[in-house]
Amino acid sequence: MSEACNHDCSNCHADCESRAPQHEPPHAKSHIKKVIGVVSGKGGVGKSMTSAMLAVAMRRKGYQVGILDADITGPSIPKLFGVHGPAMGNEDGILPVKSHTGIDIMSINLLLEDEEAPVVWRGPVIAGAVKQFWQEVIWEDVDFLFVDMPPGTGDVPLTVFQTLPVDGIIIVSSPQELVGMIVGKAVQMAKMMNVPILGIVENMSYAVCPDCGKHISVFGDSHVDETAAKYGLSVLAKMPIDPELAKEADAGMIETYAGSSLDGAANAVAALLK
């Protein structure tokens, strides 16, 4: 490590021991086949929604699925699934809360007495909580564990990449041209950490007119294809703005949403077990 190191790996290209993965084993009673990170370079692009819908899609395919909500200061996974704490435990460890269809979920909101209480913690403490979700929670017989990460390239993504044996990540973006630059940061961090990238999901890609069926580019023309081509990645899905999805999510009933726009992304994830 350089004496001038500021411990910020997001803009550093040095090959040092601080970046070398030091994967930690999960809980002794956990059985996890594949770990999938869902990331974004910025907030507000629908990363948690994508994580939840991917988990639902994989559950519908018959897989055992879990979601580790690593967005400690902005947890939203429990709300999307309509689950509440407290998460229970036994002498061996913490047990995830199961959704209506049997998806295992662990989030800081399932451990707080007040779900609306803010988590005012510094980076190292937040990163430590993510490690605990990996090492102290019993993820029993999970085919795919989705890790819903906070936006950016800071402490938590770095902790996840170094601690968890991530088998691949999905990058979530939105149509604005600005996002191309943000996607680039996520791509470069993944490459620095030697984490495979499964592809890009563009959220809020368009809206469908309820009268004529025309696709309306609410946020302007999409740039995801050119961004994906620039980095040699696949576009796994282009998700529309759907009021029905928003309605089901607000009601904590995302598992009842019938949309299939993420089928391509779900197939890419399922291919990891073949």
Side-chain angles (χ1 to χ4, degrees), residues 13 21 23-24 26 34 39 47 90 108 120-121 123 160 165 171 175 183 186 189 197 202 211 235 240 243 251-252 272:
H13 297 276
H23 297 154
E24 301 287 345
K34 298 292 180 182
V39 308
K47 169 188 49 58
N90 55 34
I108 194 67
V120 188
W121 296 346
V160 170
I171 300 173
V183 168
M189 182 178 188
I197 303 172
E202 183 180 71
D211 297 321
V235 177
L272 293 176

Side-chain angles (χ1 to χ4, degrees), residues 16-92:
C16 72
E17 61 182 11
S18 292
R19 184 179 292 122
Q22 298 173 347
H23 297 154
E24 301 287 345
H27 191 283
K29 292 193 174 182
S30 291
H31 298 90
I32 305 164
K33 292 180 181 177
K34 298 292 180 182
V35 178
I36 309 298
V38 182
V39 308
S40 64
K42 65 183 294 295
V45 298
K47 169 188 49 58
S48 295
M49 186 76 77
T50 302
S51 298
M53 291 181 63
L54 273 172
V56 171
M58 299 309 293
R59 187 74 186 105
R60 288 175 180 169
K61 288 178 176 288
Y63 294 105
Q64 297 297 319
V65 182
I67 305 178
L68 189 162
D69 188 354
D71 196 348
I72 303 297
T73 59
S76 55
I77 293 297
K79 170 66 176 177
L80 294 174
F81 285 89
V83 298
H84 304 278
M88 307 304 289
N90 55 34
E91 64 275 10
D92 294 321

Side-chain angles (χ1 to χ4, degrees), residues 39-43 45 151-153 171-174 176-189 227 231:
V39 308
S40 64
K42 65 183 294 295
V45 298
T153 54
I171 300 173
V172 183
S173 72
S174 60
Q176 297 96 322
E177 187 172 2
L178 165 68
V179 175
M181 177 187 70
I182 304 301
V183 168
K185 291 181 179 292
V187 169
Q188 292 187 50
M189 182 178 188
T227 300
Y231 296 105

Side-chain angles (χ1 to χ4, degrees), residues 92-111:
D92 294 321
I94 305 170
L95 302 175
V97 174
K98 287 192 177 291
S99 74
H100 304 295
T101 63
I103 295 173
D104 289 334
I105 298 172
M106 178 49 60
S107 170
I108 194 67
N109 259 20
L110 299 176
L111 300 175

Side-chain angles (χ1 to χ4, degrees), residues 1-2 5 7 9 15-22 158 162 193:
M1 182 189 301
S2 168
C5 178
H7 305 287
C9 297
D15 184 14
C16 72
E17 61 182 11
S18 292
R19 184 179 292 122
Q22 298 173 347
L158 185 59
Q162 290 186 325
M193 306 301 296

